[in-house]
Amino acid sequence: MTANANSINSYLHYYHVLGLQPGASLQAIKQAYRTKAKLYHPDLNKSSDAPEKFIEVNEAYEFLVHLKQHRIHPSAPGTPNRHATRSARPRRPHTADDLFREWMRMERQKARARAAQQAHKRYEDFKKSRIYRTSQIISAAYDYIFVGVGILIIVSSIAGLIMRPQKTFPNQQQQQSLASYLIITIILVIIGSIFIFFAGLNIRDRRRK
């Protein structure tokens, strides 16, 4: 997985470093980064190549977040750059390949230097660093949103059962109507509970890391 300073020739390499498929979501990138950073941080991993792998993981993370922030999607291999014949004046990157070339020229060594500095910290101190904390923000937001949605589903379904319209039906139809409301309420409560359960697992795991 480790690459020399000049051996990377495609931005797709960075997805491979984090164990992701090209085009992975920002949330997936942040989750993969936290896992890999813990796996290769020299304070926890004493293998000789751990520092370089840790640096590469941070480098990959910084580039892929940079890519997502520019809202540039990977271009198909072999797709010609329609801007190549234009003036050579400075311009914003239009494709992932453009951004990758700009990154290699201007930002990569800065990212590696920042990662090397983080590699010398104890892991507990590293978790307090800006790059690690920002990697948790989106995932935490999603989890709390899912908890909120789960609670909303449960509360609204129970409220709907309690406040259901009281229509005058024969006893048998009333029982069937009530049974239908109960079944729907139970299904919605189960769905809401699933949302809360899995989001709660993610929150708990994040606090342990």
Side-chain angles (χ1 to χ4, degrees):
M1 185 181 73
T2 305
N4 322 335
N6 298 313
S7 65
I8 301 177
N9 54 19
S10 170
Y11 65 90
L12 298 177
H13 170 79
Y14 288 130
Y15 284 105
H16 175 69
V17 168
L18 294 182
L20 298 170
Q21 293 295 319
S25 68
L26 184 58
Q27 183 183 11
I29 291 168
K30 289 175 178 287
Q31 288 175 339
Y33 167 71
R34 291 195 302 274
T35 300
K36 296 285 186 179
K38 183 176 182 180
L39 179 63
Y40 293 119
H41 193 283
D43 191 40
L44 303 179
N45 188 328
K46 302 305 180 182
S47 62
S48 59
D49 60 348
E52 177 58 29
K53 287 182 177 179
F54 177 79
I55 289 171
E56 192 173 16
V57 163
N58 278 266
E59 177 186 341
Y61 171 69
E62 286 204 38
F63 172 78
L64 293 177
V65 170
H66 191 53
L67 183 70
K68 291 293 181 182
Q69 288 173 343
H70 279 72
R71 296 178 182 171
I72 296 173
H73 299 285
S75 51
T79 302
N81 186 348
R82 58 190 173 86
H83 304 280
T85 57
R86 295 188 178 181
S87 167
R89 68 180 182 275
R91 57 180 174 80
R92 291 187 62 186
H94 293 277
T95 68
D97 290 322
D98 289 340
L99 192 68
F100 174 71
R101 285 189 290 270
E102 182 181 272
W103 167 268
M104 292 295 285
R105 186 176 70 252
M106 301 179 63
E107 299 295 332
R108 187 185 182 213
Q109 292 306 319
K110 296 177 187 176
R112 290 181 66 83
R114 286 191 292 270
Q117 187 177 21
Q118 299 295 344
H120 289 294
K121 293 182 177 180
R122 292 176 58 251
Y123 181 70
E124 291 302 318
D125 293 331
F126 165 67
K127 289 200 299 183
K128 299 174 185 176
S129 66
R130 184 182 62 84
I131 188 170
Y132 190 89
R133 283 189 287 108
T134 54
S135 76
Q136 294 185 300
I137 292 173
I138 286 187
S139 295
Y142 274 113
D143 290 332
Y144 285 111
I145 287 171
F146 275 112
V147 169
V149 169
I151 293 172
L152 182 62
I153 290 173
I154 293 172
V155 171
S156 59
S157 60
I158 294 174
L161 176 64
I162 295 172
M163 302 175 65
R164 72 187 188 282
Q166 301 292 332
K167 295 182 179 179
T168 304
F169 290 120
N171 286 339
Q172 186 176 0
Q173 289 187 0
Q174 284 185 357
Q175 291 174 359
Q176 289 175 345
S177 175
L178 178 59
S180 297
Y181 271 107
L182 281 172
I183 291 171
I184 293 171
T185 301
I186 290 170
I187 291 172
L188 290 174
V189 167
I190 291 172
I191 292 172
S193 299
I194 290 172
F195 273 61
I196 295 171
F197 175 74
F198 284 105
L201 286 180
N202 288 337
I203 293 169
R204 184 195 66 183
D205 290 343
R206 190 179 303 106
R207 287 176 177 173
R208 286 180 175 178
K209 290 181 180 180

